């Protein structure tokens, strides 16, 4: 039968193109079949799959010859199938016109990994439809969709500070005797794209040559197949500091490096991992670079305002300070009479008393700042009067008559 009998054969997802799914959600859509005239269909089925694949080739020497080794591994997260027209041994006749066949799949809750495309592997999710007709070629449609598993950086492990120290001795024959050391620290491990990482570092140059400190964020892609590992490193952003003169030291007090738009970390896949590190290094003349790496995790859920105390104030670059005006009324009301709120017998108790040296105020700093703002927001001022309620007796100093 001529293919012209099918005007269109399309696969539509209920969400628009570019939509992102996560584990536990429902993937739904419909197959649209528009016919110029009636056709006979044996079966039509739709299936959805999620697969991670790693693959690369390596040349190795075997005696005098060179052999090519193929490294391949695959991990399937789910595979579901649904029959839209079941093959019962007979054909189904579809009349001319537009036909819609809805379908839906429940994605697994925890087994999914974020979609990824790398040099030696990928994590892909797709929906495929197959149309079988008698005495005709099989018609196929395939549409991919994106899955992102959320990573919340508001956890103790990802809010912990990261620090390290390294040193290296320069080579003597390069006339650069001495040692270079670097110490770096960041306030947490988890970040999201668009945030700024403040770097605190110290560089000590005990050599006779000038050294240049630098920093960069590196993405590390790791592929595993047949017990062999393949890695690919790429720099996503970098910065350069001021040169450190011989026998001098320099410090970074929160040098900022901004995270560009990058994919989230992939840490729970058996054959593919995507990791990030903050690399602080120094170019030392006459020797290899002195490099210090601090691990990073790129998440999808940003840091909550007033987060854990383990994150320092310098980590709040990307926070929105709009909370300051959330509790402020548009038009403040005039304060009430002070004596109608505080009785006379309680006025003595309202007066502040100096704290004793034994009192502990450490717990007060752990409370939310907004609680203190609410506590003092509606405290009315005392009454004001220009007439002194307790006048002092007027006393005139007697004038000396001899003057």
């Amino acid at each position: 039968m001529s293919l012209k009998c099918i005007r269109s054969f399309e696969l539509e997802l209920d969400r628009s193109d570019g939509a992102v799914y996560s584990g536990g959600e429902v993937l739904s859509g419909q197959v649209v079949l528009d016919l110029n005239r009636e056709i006979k269909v044996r079966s039509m089925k739709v299936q959805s799959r999620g697969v991670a694949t790693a693959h690369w080739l390596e040349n190795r020497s075997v005696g005098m010859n060179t052999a090519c080794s193929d490294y391949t591994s695959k991990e399937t997260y789910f595979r579901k199938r649904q029959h839209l027209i079941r093959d019962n041994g007979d054909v189904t006749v579809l009349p001319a016109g537009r036909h819609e066949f809805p379908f839906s799949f429940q994605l697994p809750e925890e087994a999914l990994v974020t979609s990824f495309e790398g040099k030696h592997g990928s994590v892909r999710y797709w929906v495929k439809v197959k149309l079988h007709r008698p005495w005709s070629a099989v018609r196929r449609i395939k549409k991919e969709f994106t899955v992102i598993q959320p990573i919340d950086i508001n956890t103790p492990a990802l809010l912990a500070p990261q620090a390290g120290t390294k040193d290296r001795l320069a080579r003597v024959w390069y006339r650069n005797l001495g040692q270079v050391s670097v110490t770096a620290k960041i306030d947490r491990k988890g970040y999201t794209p668009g945030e700024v990482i403040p770097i605190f570092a110290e560089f000590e140059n005990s050599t006779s040559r000038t050294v240049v400190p630098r920093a960069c964020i590196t993405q590390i892609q790791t592929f595993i197949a047949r017990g062999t590992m393949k890695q690919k490193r790429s720099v996503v952003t970098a910065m350069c500091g001021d040169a450190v003169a011989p026998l001098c030291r320099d410090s970074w007090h929160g040098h900022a490096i901004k995270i560009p738009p990058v994919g989230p970390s992939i840490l729970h896949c058996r054959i593919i991992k995507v990791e990030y590190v903050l690399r602080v290094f120094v170019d030392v003349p006459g020797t290899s670079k002195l490099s210090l790496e601090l691990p990073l995790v790129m998440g999808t859920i940003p840091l909550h305002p007033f987060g854990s105390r383990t994150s320092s104030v310098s980590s709040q670059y990307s926070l929105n300070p709009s909370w300051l005006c959330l509790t402020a009324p548009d038009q403040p009301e005039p304060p009430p009479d002070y004596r109608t709120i505080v009785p006379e017998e309680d006025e003595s108790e309202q007066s502040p008393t100096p704290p004793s040296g034994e009192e502990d105020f450490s717990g007060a700093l752990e409370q939310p700042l907004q609680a203190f703002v609410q506590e003092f927001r509606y405290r009315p001022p005392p009454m004001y009067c220009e007439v002194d309620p307790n006048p002092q007796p007027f006393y005139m100093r007697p004038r000396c008559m001899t003057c």
Side-chain angles (χ1 to χ4, degrees):
M1 185 177 292
S2 175
L3 295 179
K4 293 181 180 180
C5 59
I6 300 179
R7 182 181 297 115
S8 64
F9 182 41
E10 298 177 352
L11 172 62
E12 298 177 354
L13 299 180
D14 289 343
R15 297 187 184 182
S16 59
D17 292 341
V20 175
Y21 296 83
S22 59
E25 294 185 343
V26 175
L27 174 70
S28 60
Q30 56 272 341
V31 177
V32 179
L33 185 60
D34 196 359
L35 305 176
N36 290 322
R37 55 189 177 89
E38 70 173 31
I39 64 171
K40 295 180 180 181
V41 177
R42 185 174 300 278
S43 67
M44 182 165 61
K45 60 184 177 181
V46 55
Q47 63 178 359
S48 180
R49 294 186 62 184
V51 177
T53 305
H55 176 259
W56 70 90
L57 301 175
E58 285 187 4
N59 294 326
R60 57 188 181 91
S61 300
V62 180
M64 300 297 294
N65 301 323
T66 301
C68 182
S69 299
D70 188 340
Y71 294 88
T72 303
S73 61
K74 182 178 292 187
E75 187 176 31
T76 301
Y77 301 116
F78 69 92
R79 182 173 183 175
K80 297 188 177 183
R81 181 181 301 176
Q82 183 176 345
H83 290 272
L84 304 180
I85 300 178
R86 188 176 296 271
D87 186 3
N88 296 321
D90 198 359
V91 295
T92 301
V93 179
L94 297 179
R98 178 183 174 91
H99 303 270
E100 294 185 0
F101 302 90
F103 65 88
S104 64
F105 297 102
Q106 179 78 32
L107 299 180
E109 184 69 32
E110 299 178 354
L112 301 187
V113 176
T114 298
S115 300
F116 170 75
E117 291 291 334
K119 182 177 181 180
H120 303 293
S122 62
V123 180
R124 296 175 181 173
Y125 300 87
W126 68 85
V127 181
K128 183 185 293 185
V129 180
K130 292 183 179 180
L131 176 63
H132 295 265
R133 294 182 298 147
W135 310 102
S136 299
V138 179
R139 296 287 299 270
R140 294 179 175 87
I141 308 175
K142 183 178 179 180
K143 176 170 288 189
E144 295 188 2
F145 60 94
T146 303
V147 170
I148 293 183
Q149 282 299 92
I151 300 178
D152 190 355
I153 69 172
N154 298 277
T155 59
L158 299 185
L159 292 177
Q162 305 295 311
T165 302
K166 266 194 175 182
D167 55 65
R168 175 161 296 173
L169 189 66
R171 297 175 181 175
V172 180
W173 57 82
Y174 200 75
R175 297 181 182 180
N176 190 23
L177 182 62
Q179 180 177 279
V180 179
S181 63
V182 54
T183 301
K185 177 183 178 182
I186 56 177
D187 55 355
R188 51 190 164 97
K189 184 178 181 180
Y191 288 88
T192 53
E195 283 192 282
V196 172
I197 303 178
I199 307 174
F200 301 87
E202 291 186 0
F203 307 93
E204 185 174 358
N205 180 18
S206 301
T207 68
S208 57
R209 302 288 297 272
T210 299
V211 299
V212 180
R214 307 174 189 270
C216 66
I217 298 177
T218 303
Q219 183 192 67
I220 305 174
Q221 301 177 8
T222 305
F223 307 91
I224 303 172
R226 293 171 49 189
T228 305
M229 184 176 62
K230 188 83 169 179
Q231 276 195 347
K232 179 181 182 300
R233 288 175 169 250
S234 57
V235 176
V236 297
T237 185
M239 60 166 292
C240 182
D242 298 331
V244 183
L247 305 178
C248 293
R249 63 171 55 191
D250 191 17
S251 299
W252 287 359
H253 300 286
H255 273 40
I257 181 170
K258 187 173 182 179
I259 305 174
V262 293
S265 300
I266 298 178
L267 306 175
H268 304 293
C269 181
R270 185 174 56 88
I271 62 175
I272 296 177
K273 293 185 182 298
V274 178
E275 302 168 298
Y276 295 87
V277 295
L278 174 65
R279 185 164 166 255
V280 181
F281 59 97
V282 180
D283 293 328
V284 183
T287 186
S288 58
K289 294 179 181 179
L290 172 59
S291 178
L292 174 64
E293 293 186 353
L294 302 178
L296 296 175
V297 173
M298 293 298 166
T300 59
I301 301 176
L303 184 70
H304 297 326
F306 311 107
S308 173
R309 289 190 304 155
T310 56
S311 60
S312 63
V313 177
S314 61
S315 68
Q316 311 299 325
Y317 277 88
S318 60
L319 295 186
N320 187 0
S322 58
W323 62 271
L324 294 173
C325 58
L326 290 179
T327 59
D330 296 335
Q331 295 182 357
E333 300 177 357
D337 189 357
Y338 185 75
R339 296 185 181 273
T340 62
I341 299 178
V342 182
E344 294 182 359
E345 57 269 20
D346 296 341
E347 290 184 8
S348 59
E349 298 180 3
Q350 299 293 333
S351 59
T353 58
S356 61
E358 299 179 356
E359 294 183 357
D360 185 13
F361 292 95
S362 59
L365 297 178
E366 300 180 3
Q367 303 179 13
L369 179 60
Q370 192 172 359
F372 295 95
V373 175
Q374 290 281 34
E375 180 180 354
F376 295 102
R377 176 181 167 193
Y378 295 110
R379 183 61 58 87
M383 293 186 63
Y384 173 76
C385 182
E386 296 183 357
V387 179
D388 190 356
N390 301 312
Q392 299 294 332
F394 182 77
Y395 174 76
M396 178 178 289
R397 181 179 178 182
R399 185 176 181 181
C400 180
M401 300 301 297
T402 61
C403 297

